Amino acid sequence: MTDTQRVVHAYPFSPPDRFNLDPFYAELRRREPLTRVRMPYGEEAWLATRYADVRTVLGDARFSRAASADRDEPRISPRKLEAGLLLMDPPEHTRLRRLVAKAFTARRVEQLRPRAQEVANELVDRMIAAGPPADLVERFATPLPITVICELLGVPVEDQDRFHVWSEAVVSTTSLSVEQIAGYIQNLFAYMRGLIAARRREPTDDLISALVRVRDEDNDRLTEDELVRLLTGLLAAGHETTVTQIPNFAYVLLTNPDKLAELRADPELVPAAVEELLRYVPLGVASSFARYATEDVELGGVLVRAGEPVIGSLSSANRDEEVFPNPDSLDFGRSTNPHIGFGHGAHHCVGAQLARMELQVAVDVLVRRFPDLRFAVPEEELHWKSGMLVRGLKRMPVAW
């Protein structure tokens, strides 16, 4: 098939429907694994749907994120990214990522686990004391990751009502106007500048103080603007997706009672269950963050020409039949589970270990402390987010 004969599909293929992945992805994996798409904004792109091709797009140096800065990047949001780690390639990306990576190693994260468990149990204690029903999003899923990331960075947790609202700008497509998104992001920057100034006056033992020292002792390693953007990104991204995923995972378990019973019978399965849920739940409404080919590349049986953008669908890759037997089924006993729920390559989520730990703690505590957890309203009355990059519930009333 020549490029001129190819159909250009409107993308996303359909509105999000809970955690059902559009069956067209499976069809494309079979017959046209690299297909042309047009997103609501930006230029046309190639969409990769098979696991191997998506890993290539994300991990091969011949595909550049930085090149999108000078292009009308294909996207589902009217606003383009302006700067930050997500717009960088190595070695610039490596320079900044290395400054924060030590705070998110598996060893460091394990040191945080007891505190996360303490916070989770305290939140459940309060829910039980107040009695059902309770909104799981507000009472548990939101304060748990916010408290952990605040203590790690050195952000006052009592400010969460302010910065959590502003952080919606990071995952908004149309839920906020372009002006609101810009305003919220500027609010986040101003808030972080204030914290940086405070740490300069009175250093403490937290990540903000550590990065301020790096900035002030060696200007070549970190500019002031990079410091502000880096810490703001860690604060917003460090809680926003986990806040969404905790109720997502709870929803999947409550709508798959056999799998919930399996976890209750054997809580040792929780780590494997979290990995399977990370694979199974298509968090993104659609794929984004295109990579541009820096030279002609053969991909999925197609020649991608230098300068053309390619988007890799993580959700489709995680349902690839060639890698995951019975991919549309939840299986906590998968012998191997090489999902790419946290991405792959240079832009693999720097906070993956932290999110993984928090999700394990959340699922474990919910399974252990609420033996009769259930929806407090009919499932069809649950309210889902819209106009966002991610799928999730606005509220999740539960009883026990």
Side-chain angles (χ1 to χ4, degrees), residues 266-280:
D266 184 7
E268 296 297 314
L269 282 175
V270 165
V274 165
E275 296 309 307
E276 177 67 348
L277 288 162
L278 284 165
R279 181 198 69 83
Y280 178 84

Side-chain angles (χ1 to χ4, degrees), residues 299-319:
L299 187 71
V302 172
L303 181 65
V304 177
R305 301 188 184 281
E308 291 185 331
V310 185
I311 301 162
S313 172
L314 302 182
S315 299
S316 179
N318 281 335
R319 300 285 186 98

Side-chain angles (χ1 to χ4, degrees), residues 10-31:
Y11 186 72
F13 302 129
S14 60
D17 175 20
R18 294 161 295 173
F19 303 123
N20 298 318
L21 192 61
D22 193 303
F24 193 46
Y25 284 106
E27 184 180 333
L28 288 174
R29 288 195 301 271
R30 287 192 300 271
R31 66 175 177 82

Side-chain angles (χ1 to χ4, degrees), residues 59-127:
D60 193 311
R62 294 174 295 174
F63 291 97
S64 165
R65 265 301 290 152
S68 65
D70 299 321
R71 301 285 292 270
D72 188 15
E73 179 181 0
R75 59 198 186 278
I76 60 175
S77 172
R79 187 176 185 275
K80 280 188 64 177
L81 284 175
E82 296 173 356
L85 277 176
L86 281 174
L87 269 178
M88 291 181 173
D89 291 336
E92 283 295 283
H93 176 271
T94 310
R95 172 179 62 85
L96 291 183
R97 185 182 172 107
R98 189 177 289 139
L99 294 174
V100 299
K102 288 181 181 178
F104 296 96
T105 63
R107 180 174 174 273
R108 174 69 179 118
V109 165
E110 279 308 303
Q111 294 171 346
L112 299 173
R113 186 183 291 268
R115 175 57 179 150
Q117 290 170 328
E118 180 183 21
V119 172
N121 278 300
E122 287 173 355
L123 293 169
V124 168
D125 288 342
R126 292 175 200 159
M127 289 172 63

